[in-house]
Amino acid sequence: MHQFPRGISQRAAQAARLFTTGPRPAAFAAALLLAGCAAQTAPPLPRLAIDPGRVAVVGVSSGAYMATQVHFAYSDRFAGAALVAGGPYGCAEGKLELALGPCMKAEPAAPDVARLAEAVRERAQAGALAPLAGLAGDRVLVLHGQHDRTVAAAVSRAALDVYQPLGTDVEALQLRFEGDGDFGHVMPTLRAGVDCRAGGAPHLGACGLDAAGQVLGWLFEAGGTATEASGELRRFDQSAHAPDGADPLLADEGFLYVPETCAAGASCGAVVVFHGCEQDIGRLGDRFAREAGFNRWADVHGLVVLYPQARSSYLPLNPKACWDWWGYTGPDYDTRRGAQLRWLASAMAALGAPLE
C-alpha cells in the first residue's frame, strides 16, 4: 500500500473541510442506502430541443468555483454564469495551501486578480479555455452574504473582478456583484433549509429570499411569477459520460429537471447548476435539486436544469463531495482537458447542447 507523507495527508484533510463542516454518520448511512438502490441503472439523458443561445451555468460554494471554470472553458457556448459564495477562476493553482488561505479567507492576502486574469488570457490563447471573444455579451452575477464566515467577501468580489480586465477585450460583458445579502454560507431560498445566517447542513437557507429567481432573472433577462414546479425531476446515468482514461469522480446518477413544455418538444434553454460541498446525492438525495428553487423558475423561463452530482472519495481525499477546484482529478482540472469538464461536454452533447 502506498503511504502518503504526513504533511500532505494533513493538508488533504484540511482540504476535505473546504467550505463546510458537519457530522459524518449520516453521510455513511446515505451512501449505504443508495448502494442498495443502485442495482438498476438510471436512464440516459434525453435529447431535447435546446436553444444554443440560452445556456448558462450556476454554482454554489465549491460549485461556484466549478461554474466559473465551466464558463471560462466554454464561454463560446455559455451565455453567462452566476456564482454564489465562491471565488475566482484559477485561484488555487492546484495548491492546497492557496485553496485554504487566499481562496477562502483572503489570508494572508486576497487573490491577485490581475495575475489570475492574465492566466485566463494565456490559457485562452493556448486553447485550454475558450477564446476571450466568447465572453462578448455574457452576463455574470456574484452573490455573497454578509454573514458568510466560510468564504470572505474579498474572495467573492475577486470572482467578479477577474472578469473586469478581460472585459476590455470584448463587447458588452455585463458584470454584477451583490454582496450585502442578509445570509450566511448557504444557498438562499424562500422557506427551505436551516437558519439563514447561521447556515449548516444542508447549506440551504430559509431566508425569505428567492435567490434562484434572482439568478435566473439576471441570466436570462426575463421576469414573471413562479408558483410550484410542474415539470418532472428525473434521474439520469452520469457514468455513461465518463471521459476515456479518466475518472471524473462523480456519482453514478445525476438529476435533470424538465418543464412540461420542454418535454413536449418546445425549444428551451438550459442551465447547469452545481451544488456545493455536502449537497450531493449521497447526502441529500434529490433535496438540493428539489429545494434550491430553480425548478419553479425553469418553468417560467422555459429552461431545463441539469444538476450534476459529485461523489465522496477518500483517495483522492474529497469526503464531502466538493467539486474539483484545487486539482484532485489532475493538473488540468480547470481547463477543457479536465476530467469533470470533459464529462460535462459529453453530457451536454447528449442533452442537445454541445459544447465542442
Side-chain angles (χ1 to χ4, degrees):
M1 179 183 294
H2 294 291
Q3 296 295 320
F4 292 93
R6 181 175 176 82
I8 293 177
S9 298
Q10 288 175 330
R11 287 179 12 223
Q14 287 179 296
R17 295 191 290 271
L18 287 172
F19 292 125
T20 58
T21 57
R24 303 297 307 144
F28 290 109
L32 290 172
L33 178 62
L34 285 169
C37 300
Q40 186 173 359
T41 303
L45 281 167
R47 187 168 186 86
L48 302 173
I50 304 298
D51 179 352
R54 301 183 66 240
V55 180
V57 61
V58 178
V60 182
S61 193
S62 73
Y65 269 105
M66 186 64 185
T68 194
Q69 291 172 179
V70 167
H71 187 216
F72 279 119
Y74 298 110
S75 63
D76 50 351
R77 295 293 182 264
F78 284 87
L83 318 174
V84 182
Y89 174 87
C91 187
E93 301 179 26
K95 301 173 184 177
L96 286 176
E97 58 268 28
L98 294 182
L100 295 169
C103 303
M104 288 183 64
K105 303 299 185 184
E107 297 173 353
D112 186 337
V113 169
R115 188 166 59 82
L116 295 177
E118 185 57 32
V120 171
R121 276 201 185 88
E122 292 173 358
R123 290 183 177 188
Q125 291 171 355
L129 302 176
L132 292 184
L135 293 170
D138 284 8
R139 302 170 71 86
V140 181
L141 171 66
V142 174
L143 299 181
H144 185 269
Q146 296 182 69
H147 308 286
D148 192 329
R149 302 293 179 260
T150 302
V151 174
V155 173
S156 279
R157 179 74 227 192
L160 194 76
D161 288 348
V162 166
Y163 286 88
Q164 293 279 6
L166 303 174
T168 62
D169 300 340
V170 299
E171 295 182 359
L173 177 61
Q174 301 179 63
L175 307 176
R176 179 179 173 187
F177 181 75
E178 295 284 350
D180 58 355
D182 189 24
F183 54 90
H185 192 72
V186 296
M187 172 65 194
T189 76
L190 285 174
R191 293 175 293 275
V194 297
D195 182 90
C196 185
R197 294 183 178 182
H203 312 294
L204 296 167
C207 302
L209 171 62
D210 194 351
Q214 180 181 357
V215 162
L216 295 185
W218 166 259
L219 290 174
F220 294 97
E221 303 179 74
T225 301
T227 54
E228 295 298 320
S230 59
E232 181 183 4
L233 183 64
R234 310 175 182 179
R235 291 184 179 232
F236 73 92
D237 180 14
Q238 291 198 146
S239 61
H241 302 287
D244 292 339
D247 182 358
L249 294 165
L250 303 185
D252 289 337
E253 297 181 1
F255 299 105
L256 177 73
Y257 179 76
V258 185
E260 292 177 350
T261 54
C262 305
S267 177
C268 289
V271 60
V272 181
V273 178
F274 290 103
H275 63 73
C277 303
E278 294 189 315
Q279 293 182 319
D280 59 295
I281 188 173
R283 284 174 176 76
L284 302 185
D286 65 1
R287 185 174 178 184
F288 178 83
R290 283 188 296 105
E291 297 184 0
F294 293 99
N295 300 339
R296 297 179 300 113
W297 288 101
D299 288 346
V300 173
H301 298 310
L303 305 168
V304 297
V305 188
L306 184 71
Y307 295 99
Q309 299 293 304
R311 146 178 132 229
S312 296
S313 67
Y314 286 89
L315 187 65
L317 193 61
N318 180 33
K320 296 192 176 182
C322 303
W323 291 97
D324 186 9
W325 63 275
W326 69 88
Y328 67 75
T329 59
D332 294 324
Y333 66 97
D334 56 357
T335 74
R336 288 184 170 191
R337 296 186 292 269
Q340 291 182 352
L341 271 72
R342 287 161 58 200
W343 176 91
L344 180 65
S346 174
M348 293 295 282
L351 191 60
L355 304 181
E356 298 174 338

